[in-house]
Amino acid sequence: MSLPTWLNLKIKSPQYGYKPTSRIIPASVPSKLNLSYTQHSECPNNLCPPADQNVAAFVFGDGSNSRLYPLTKRRSESALPIAGNYRLIDAVVSNCINSNIKKIYALTQFNSASLNSHLSRAYSSARIGNEALVDVIAACQGPEGKGWFQGTADAIRRCLWVLEEYPIVDFLVLPGYHLYKMDFQELLKVHCNNRADITVAVLSTRRDKDIELSTFQVNSNNQVISFKDNPEMRVANLDVSQDKFIGMDIYVVNKDAMIKLLTEYHPMANDFRREVVPGAISLGMNVYAHKFSGYWEDMRSIEAYYQANMESIKNTNKAYSSLYDKDSPLYTLPRHLPPTQITDAAITDSVIGDGCFLNRCKIRGTVVGMRTRVGDGAIIEDSVIMGSDTYQNSRAEEDMHIPIGIGEGSQIRKTIIDKNVRIGKNVKILNKENVQECNNEANGYIITGGIVVILKGAIIPDGSIL
């Protein structure tokens, strides 16, 4: 079973005791909220960063061109559930917390309601000293900027007002939909030692899967001398030579360099990776690479998302390890759910989230999300079940022909089941004909890469065969 570690922080309210408080800031309207917090005794000591640290992290929670559809039909990539109890963005925010980064700005825009709610409830109320841990900056129109964020560079440019309220020396630019564990202090140390304007994180080893072609060429001193990016081209078994490395879209940028790049040299640039970084290299700025050798997954496809969940079951050096690392824990929203109830079920090689009801079923190699109900005789293998947002009371189940969960006698294999799905009795989701691609969204499912994806809130009638 999974071993979730939570950041249990509460806000003191003079009228109602302790209750969660959200803080969402429009991009062009900075605001302050002065509240104290109570730190849970199990929180690590390194939550308290050195007073002279002047680094702010910009975490991008979403993108407009997701390849994770239909999982992103109503949510952004960063809000996707992972490993039973968590969301993808928890991994990035936890990296910041564990690296003593005390100022985090989450920039959100597309399908951001679920993400904003999670961040606000989980982190925006947490405070270190007088500073909020995470501020959610939602795109909005203002006197100085009309319309949506046009890209990562445009979003940062429109949020440079943070310099007025916080003494920032360096920016840490992070995608919110990657799964990895990194000590950002090592990245910042390399950046400082090289007196770099920009430091990029790159993979030090070759990737044995299809990836986007995005490579940095570096010299013997790890200084970047060229950059190549073609997001439309995908290559298998990309050969990373001695001087070419795959970019991770993670950057440390000096404040002065950031201001000059976004306001003077490239005032109309929208994309940070494709426009600003190559521009900095061509201008002769000091751009260096930091080589990273740990686990990293960019999570930009259904297949990658499925595989990352499957690897979270394993406690090996090839899998994401923060689920079981007490020194670098993975934080998320404390939901205070009851323990999972297991009644004569056979469960092997699986991760089970909180608050589930598993009745006389067989589960193997599966990630089971929170509040999942599995009926008697059901068999689930090699699947990802996201769970449910709420519990149904007994009367609602009697009134509903097919309740939320997986019905009695159903068989499921190599399937991603989104939240609040109702699967009837004796349903078979096995893809026996090994269909690789199929769009049957009208009936509540698609197939991509041989993986069956059941849409959020879909109803699969009794006896259905997929």
Side-chain angles (χ1 to χ4, degrees), residues 312-356:
S312 74
I313 297 170
K314 310 167 187 174
N315 190 14
T316 68
N317 57 2
K318 293 183 179 180
Y320 178 69
S321 59
S322 279
L323 289 173
Y324 309 98
D325 189 343
K326 64 183 179 66
D327 296 321
S328 299
L330 181 61
Y331 300 107
T332 191
L333 173 68
R335 298 173 179 87
H336 309 294
L337 292 173
T340 287
Q341 185 180 99
I342 301 174
T343 306
D344 197 22
I347 303 174
T348 57
D349 302 328
S350 297
V351 168
I352 309 298
D354 296 333
C356 300

Coordinates of all heavy atoms in Angstrom, one line a residue, residues 312-356:
S312 N 5.0 3.7 -10.0 CA 4.9 4.1 -8.6 C 4.6 2.9 -7.7 O 4.8 3.0 -6.5 CB 3.7 5.1 -8.5 OG 2.5 4.5 -8.7
I313 N 4.2 1.8 -8.3 CA 3.9 0.6 -7.5 C 5.3 0.0 -7.0 O 5.3 -0.6 -6.0 CB 3.1 -0.4 -8.3 CG1 1.8 0.1 -8.7 CG2 3.0 -1.7 -7.6 CD1 1.0 -0.7 -9.7
K314 N 6.3 0.2 -7.8 CA 7.6 -0.4 -7.6 C 8.5 0.5 -6.7 O 8.5 1.7 -7.0 CB 8.3 -0.8 -8.9 CG 7.4 -1.5 -9.9 CD 8.0 -1.6 -11.2 CE 7.1 -2.2 -12.3 NZ 7.6 -2.1 -13.6
N315 N 9.2 -0.1 -5.8 CA 10.1 0.7 -5.0 C 11.5 0.4 -5.5 O 12.3 -0.3 -4.8 CB 10.0 0.4 -3.5 CG 10.7 1.3 -2.6 OD1 11.2 2.4 -3.1 ND2 10.9 1.0 -1.4
T316 N 11.9 0.9 -6.7 CA 13.2 0.6 -7.3 C 13.8 1.9 -7.7 O 13.2 3.0 -7.7 CB 13.0 -0.3 -8.5 OG1 12.4 0.4 -9.6 CG2 12.3 -1.5 -8.2
N317 N 15.1 1.9 -8.0 CA 15.8 3.1 -8.4 C 15.3 3.6 -9.8 O 15.7 4.7 -10.2 CB 17.3 2.9 -8.5 CG 17.7 1.7 -9.4 OD1 16.9 1.1 -10.1 ND2 19.0 1.4 -9.4
K318 N 14.5 2.8 -10.5 CA 14.0 3.3 -11.8 C 12.6 3.9 -11.7 O 12.1 4.4 -12.7 CB 13.9 2.1 -12.8 CG 15.2 1.5 -13.1 CD 15.0 0.3 -14.1 CE 16.4 -0.3 -14.5 NZ 16.2 -1.4 -15.5
A319 N 12.1 4.0 -10.5 CA 10.7 4.5 -10.3 C 10.8 5.8 -9.5 O 11.9 6.2 -8.9 CB 9.9 3.5 -9.5
Y320 N 9.7 6.6 -9.5 CA 9.7 7.8 -8.6 C 9.7 7.4 -7.2 O 8.8 6.6 -6.7 CB 8.4 8.5 -9.0 CG 8.2 9.8 -8.2 CD1 9.0 10.9 -8.4 CD2 7.2 9.9 -7.2 CE1 8.8 12.0 -7.6 CE2 7.0 11.0 -6.5 CZ 7.8 12.1 -6.7 OH 7.6 13.2 -5.9
S321 N 10.6 7.9 -6.4 CA 10.9 7.3 -5.1 C 10.4 8.2 -3.9 O 10.5 7.7 -2.8 CB 12.4 7.1 -4.9 OG 13.1 8.4 -5.0
S322 N 9.9 9.4 -4.1 CA 9.5 10.2 -3.0 C 8.3 9.7 -2.2 O 8.1 10.1 -1.1 CB 9.2 11.6 -3.5 OG 10.4 12.4 -3.7
L323 N 7.6 8.7 -2.8 CA 6.5 8.1 -2.0 C 7.0 7.5 -0.8 O 6.2 7.4 0.2 CB 5.7 7.1 -2.9 CG 4.9 7.6 -4.1 CD1 4.4 6.5 -4.9 CD2 3.7 8.5 -3.6
Y324 N 8.2 7.0 -0.8 CA 8.7 6.2 0.3 C 10.0 6.8 0.9 O 10.7 6.2 1.6 CB 9.0 4.8 -0.1 CG 7.8 4.1 -0.8 CD1 7.8 4.1 -2.2 CD2 6.8 3.6 -0.1 CE1 6.7 3.5 -2.9 CE2 5.7 3.0 -0.8 CZ 5.7 3.0 -2.2 OH 4.6 2.4 -2.8
D325 N 10.2 8.1 0.7 CA 11.4 8.8 1.1 C 11.1 9.7 2.3 O 10.5 10.7 2.1 CB 12.1 9.5 0.0 CG 13.5 10.1 0.3 OD1 13.8 10.1 1.6 OD2 14.2 10.4 -0.6
K326 N 11.5 9.3 3.5 CA 11.1 10.2 4.7 C 11.9 11.5 4.7 O 11.5 12.4 5.3 CB 11.3 9.4 6.0 CG 12.8 9.0 6.3 CD 12.8 8.2 7.5 CE 14.3 7.8 7.8 NZ 15.1 8.9 8.2
D327 N 13.0 11.5 4.0 CA 13.8 12.7 4.0 C 13.4 13.7 2.9 O 13.6 14.9 3.1 CB 15.3 12.4 3.8 CG 15.9 11.6 4.9 OD1 15.5 11.9 6.1 OD2 16.7 10.6 4.7
S328 N 12.8 13.2 1.9 CA 12.2 14.1 0.8 C 10.8 13.7 0.5 O 10.5 13.1 -0.5 CB 13.1 14.0 -0.4 OG 14.4 14.5 -0.2
P329 N 9.9 13.9 1.4 CA 8.5 13.4 1.3 C 7.7 14.1 0.2 O 8.1 15.2 -0.2 CB 7.9 13.6 2.7 CG 8.7 14.8 3.2 CD 10.0 14.7 2.7
L330 N 6.7 13.5 -0.2 CA 5.7 14.0 -1.1 C 4.5 14.6 -0.4 O 3.8 13.8 0.3 CB 5.3 12.9 -2.1 CG 4.3 13.4 -3.3 CD1 4.9 14.5 -4.1 CD2 3.9 12.2 -4.1
Y331 N 4.2 15.9 -0.5 CA 3.2 16.5 0.2 C 1.9 16.6 -0.7 O 2.0 16.6 -1.9 CB 3.6 17.9 0.7 CG 4.8 17.9 1.6 CD1 6.0 18.4 1.1 CD2 4.7 17.5 2.9 CE1 7.1 18.4 2.0 CE2 5.8 17.5 3.7 CZ 7.0 18.0 3.3 OH 8.1 18.0 4.1
T332 N 0.8 16.7 0.0 CA -0.5 17.0 -0.7 C -1.5 17.5 0.3 O -1.2 17.8 1.4 CB -1.0 15.7 -1.4 OG1 -2.0 16.0 -2.3 CG2 -1.4 14.6 -0.4
L333 N -2.7 17.6 -0.2 CA -3.8 18.1 0.6 C -4.2 17.1 1.6 O -4.6 15.9 1.3 CB -5.0 18.5 -0.3 CG -6.3 18.8 0.5 CD1 -6.2 20.2 1.2 CD2 -7.5 18.9 -0.5
P334 N -4.2 17.4 2.9 CA -4.7 16.4 3.9 C -6.3 16.3 3.9 O -7.0 17.3 4.1 CB -4.3 17.0 5.3 CG -4.1 18.5 5.0 CD -3.7 18.6 3.6
R335 N -6.8 15.2 3.5 CA -8.2 15.0 3.3 C -8.9 14.3 4.5 O -10.1 14.3 4.5 CB -8.5 14.2 2.0 CG -7.9 14.9 0.8 CD -8.0 14.0 -0.4 NE -7.5 14.7 -1.6 CZ -6.2 14.7 -2.0 NH1 -5.3 14.0 -1.2 NH2 -5.8 15.3 -3.1
H336 N -8.2 13.8 5.4 CA -8.7 13.2 6.6 C -9.8 12.1 6.3 O -10.8 12.1 6.9 CB -9.3 14.3 7.5 CG -8.4 15.4 7.8 ND1 -7.2 15.3 8.5 CD2 -8.4 16.7 7.4 CE1 -6.6 16.5 8.5 NE2 -7.3 17.3 7.8
L337 N -9.4 11.2 5.4 CA -10.3 10.1 5.0 C -10.1 9.0 6.0 O -9.0 8.8 6.6 CB -10.1 9.7 3.6 CG -10.5 10.7 2.5 CD1 -10.0 10.2 1.2 CD2 -12.0 10.9 2.5
P338 N -11.1 8.1 6.1 CA -10.9 6.9 6.9 C -10.0 5.9 6.2 O -9.7 6.0 5.0 CB -12.3 6.3 7.0 CG -13.0 6.8 5.8 CD -12.5 8.2 5.5
P339 N -9.4 5.0 7.0 CA -8.6 4.0 6.3 C -9.4 3.1 5.4 O -10.6 3.0 5.5 CB -8.0 3.1 7.5 CG -9.0 3.4 8.6 CD -9.6 4.7 8.4
T340 N -8.7 2.5 4.4 CA -9.3 1.7 3.4 C -9.8 0.4 4.1 O -9.1 -0.2 4.9 CB -8.3 1.3 2.3 OG1 -8.1 2.5 1.5 CG2 -8.8 0.2 1.4
Q341 N -11.0 0.0 3.7 CA -11.7 -1.2 4.3 C -11.5 -2.3 3.3 O -12.0 -2.2 2.2 CB -13.1 -0.9 4.6 CG -13.8 -2.1 5.3 CD -15.3 -1.7 5.6 OE1 -16.2 -2.1 4.9 NE2 -15.5 -1.0 6.7
I342 N -10.9 -3.4 3.7 CA -10.6 -4.5 2.8 C -11.3 -5.8 3.4 O -11.0 -6.2 4.5 CB -9.1 -4.8 2.6 CG1 -8.4 -3.6 2.1 CG2 -8.9 -6.0 1.8 CD1 -6.9 -3.7 2.0
T343 N -12.2 -6.4 2.6 CA -13.0 -7.5 3.1 C -12.7 -8.7 2.2 O -13.2 -8.8 1.1 CB -14.5 -7.2 3.0 OG1 -14.8 -6.0 3.8 CG2 -15.3 -8.4 3.6
D344 N -11.8 -9.6 2.7 CA -11.5 -10.8 2.1 C -11.1 -10.6 0.6 O -11.5 -11.4 -0.3 CB -12.7 -11.8 2.1 CG -12.3 -13.2 1.8 OD1 -11.2 -13.6 2.0 OD2 -13.2 -14.0 1.4
A345 N -10.3 -9.6 0.4 CA -9.8 -9.3 -1.0 C -8.3 -9.8 -1.1 O -7.6 -9.8 -0.1 CB -9.8 -7.8 -1.2
A346 N -7.9 -10.2 -2.3 CA -6.6 -10.6 -2.6 C -5.9 -9.4 -3.4 O -6.3 -9.2 -4.6 CB -6.6 -11.9 -3.4
I347 N -4.9 -8.8 -2.8 CA -4.3 -7.6 -3.4 C -2.8 -7.8 -3.5 O -2.1 -8.1 -2.5 CB -4.6 -6.3 -2.6 CG1 -6.1 -6.1 -2.5 CG2 -3.9 -5.1 -3.2 CD1 -6.5 -5.0 -1.5
T348 N -2.2 -7.7 -4.7 CA -0.8 -7.9 -4.8 C -0.2 -6.8 -5.7 O -0.9 -6.3 -6.7 CB -0.5 -9.3 -5.5 OG1 -1.2 -9.4 -6.8 CG2 -0.9 -10.4 -4.6
D349 N 1.0 -6.4 -5.4 CA 1.8 -5.4 -6.2 C 0.9 -4.2 -6.6 O 0.8 -3.8 -7.8 CB 2.3 -6.1 -7.5 CG 3.2 -7.3 -7.2 OD1 3.9 -7.2 -6.1 OD2 3.2 -8.2 -8.0
S350 N 0.3 -3.6 -5.6 CA -0.6 -2.5 -5.9 C -0.4 -1.3 -4.9 O 0.2 -1.5 -3.9 CB -2.1 -3.0 -5.9 OG -2.3 -3.9 -6.9
V351 N -0.9 -0.2 -5.3 CA -1.0 1.0 -4.4 C -2.4 1.3 -4.1 O -3.2 1.5 -5.1 CB -0.3 2.2 -5.0 CG1 -0.6 3.5 -4.2 CG2 1.2 2.0 -5.1
I352 N -2.8 1.4 -2.9 CA -4.2 1.6 -2.5 C -4.3 3.0 -1.8 O -3.7 3.2 -0.8 CB -4.8 0.5 -1.6 CG1 -4.5 -0.9 -2.2 CG2 -6.3 0.7 -1.4 CD1 -5.1 -1.1 -3.5
G353 N -5.2 3.9 -2.3 CA -5.4 5.2 -1.7 C -6.3 5.1 -0.5 O -6.7 4.0 -0.1
D354 N -6.6 6.2 0.1 CA -7.4 6.2 1.4 C -8.8 6.1 1.1 O -9.4 6.5 0.1 CB -7.1 7.5 2.2 CG -5.6 7.6 2.6 OD1 -5.0 6.5 2.8 OD2 -5.1 8.7 2.7
G355 N -9.6 5.6 2.1 CA -11.0 5.7 2.1 C -11.7 4.8 1.1 O -12.8 5.0 0.7
C356 N -11.1 3.6 0.7 CA -11.6 2.7 -0.3 C -12.4 1.6 0.4 O -12.2 1.3 1.6 CB -10.6 2.1 -1.1 SG -9.6 3.3 -2.1

